[in-house]
Amino acid sequence: MHMTFWDHANPTAFMRLSGAVLPWVSGAAGICLCTGLTWGLMLTPPAQGFGASVKVIYVHVPAAMMAINLWLMMVLASGLWFVRRHHVSALAAKAAAPVGLTMTLIALVTGALWGEPVWGTWWAWDPRLTAFLILFLSYLGYVALWRAVPHTEAAADLAALLCLVGSVFALVSRYAVLFWAQGLHQGATLSLDRAEHIANVYWVPLVVTIAGFVALSVALVLARTRTEICRRRIDFLQERARRA
Amino acid sequence: MMPDLEIYAATVLGAFGATLGLLGTLIAVTVWQGARARVRLARAEAAFGSPVPERPFHG
């Protein structure tokens, strides 16, 4: 009998596949992060206008990118939940939220630390900074909603709805510097346009570090989704034992 | 061999330290929660049997 993709997309298949992939992704994350962060901190020169503070780019930019991309991943997973009622996708979105929350917090903290010497202030109500603060609050709300609603399927529905609404702020976080030509924050650090691109001496270690953050985020989301599936199985077994 | 960070030593080291601290905490919590869930699942399967629900929200 012919099996579709959706026939394979079930918790058992996910546990088997993620168990095989997880050690490799974790290893890649460790190698890329150690290489990229050491390279960025130790071997890159000071930049004109920024001095040695430019090295903050190696933690700030990858964290900010992952903060936005993880929310967009949650939007996709939430859409799948609404359309297909695919349970692993709802659990994957739930699993990704603490990872995205941490990435957003890192982006905010490192941005404040970087802003003080460069802009002369820890914080400004700049469009991108404000959008990131709202994104952080959206992550907090998403995590709190899953905890607050006792019925799992209702929690998945409400959290998915919040995720779709919050996607506005994820997009604003990404494109705020283009929407509003004001504020302190500079434009995109990475660009496909070579003229806008930062110098290779900074760009190459930055790409390695970004690869490390992506691999680490994937590893963490996979591991946390596996944990969520284990918890659901425990609930299932306990519920079945109560009914018996 | 630490590079010369000029007047930005506190900024750069603070940013790297905060990042590594937050990521380290997240990794530790993730590993701990995963290990705890696996132990609880093994106990539950030993006590109640081990069917694998394809729809994990439903009992």
Side-chain angles (χ1 to χ4, degrees):
Chain A
M1 191 180 75
H2 176 68
M3 289 183 74
T4 67
F5 169 78
W6 299 108
D7 294 322
H8 293 283
N10 59 63
T12 310
F14 178 85
M15 291 298 272
R16 191 173 53 244
L17 184 64
S18 61
V21 166
L22 195 51
W24 295 98
V25 181
S26 305
I31 292 169
C32 289
L33 281 176
C34 287
T35 307
L37 291 176
T38 308
W39 189 347
L41 180 64
M42 301 290 188
L43 303 175
T44 52
Q48 194 174 13
F50 290 97
S53 78
V54 73
K55 294 169 191 289
V56 177
I57 203 174
Y58 297 105
V59 287
H60 179 71
V61 169
M65 286 180 71
M66 291 319 300
I68 297 168
N69 291 336
L70 280 166
W71 190 276
L72 296 181
M73 174 248 146
M74 287 162 57
V75 170
L76 283 178
S78 299
L80 268 182
W81 166 247
F82 273 137
V83 175
R84 301 287 308 203
R85 308 307 281 180
H86 185 257
H87 294 83
V88 175
S89 66
L91 295 178
K94 181 186 180 188
V99 185
L101 179 70
T102 307
M103 293 296 175
T104 314
L105 185 58
I106 291 171
L108 285 169
V109 169
T110 56
L113 285 167
W114 201 4
E116 203 281 325
V118 174
W119 296 336
T121 181
W122 302 95
W123 179 262
W125 294 102
D126 165 285
R128 181 173 269 189
L129 272 64
T130 308
F132 253 89
L133 180 63
I134 297 172
L135 183 63
F136 177 71
L137 296 175
S138 301
Y139 270 120
L140 274 181
Y142 183 92
V143 171
L145 192 54
W146 266 104
R147 287 174 177 265
V149 180
H151 188 265
T152 318
E153 199 151 337
D157 281 337
L158 291 171
L161 191 61
L162 174 65
C163 190
L164 295 177
V165 173
S167 62
V168 173
F169 295 104
L171 290 172
V172 169
S173 305
R174 174 68 184 82
Y175 295 107
V177 287
L178 302 179
F179 291 159
W180 295 284
Q182 61 180 22
L184 291 171
H185 204 287
Q186 67 184 63
T189 304
L190 293 180
S191 169
L192 293 176
D193 183 346
R194 297 293 298 180
E196 295 177 12
H197 206 298
I198 60 171
N200 273 348
V201 68
Y202 304 109
W203 186 77
V204 177
L206 181 58
V207 168
V208 175
T209 313
I210 288 171
F213 270 75
V214 170
L216 177 64
S217 300
V218 170
L220 286 168
V221 172
L222 287 179
R224 297 185 73 89
T225 307
R226 289 170 64 82
T227 301
E228 290 299 330
I229 290 173
C230 283
R231 286 174 175 164
R232 291 295 153 263
R233 286 182 180 176
I234 294 166
D235 292 345
F236 169 80
L237 290 171
Q238 289 175 341
E239 181 63 27
R240 196 185 62 167
R242 266 195 296 275
R243 286 182 186 174
Chain B
M1 182 191 71
M2 182 57 69
D4 180 16
L5 298 174
E6 308 158 3
I7 57 169
Y8 300 109
T11 300
V12 174
L13 296 179
F16 273 71
T19 301
L20 295 178
L22 285 167
L23 288 182
T25 304
L26 178 65
I27 292 167
V29 168
T30 300
V31 170
W32 177 72
Q33 287 178 336
R36 191 158 162 263
R38 280 194 300 276
V39 169
R40 284 182 56 217
L41 178 61
R43 281 190 196 141
E45 285 180 344
F48 309 123
S50 58
V52 178
E54 297 299 305
R55 304 187 68 203
F57 289 171
H58 297 279

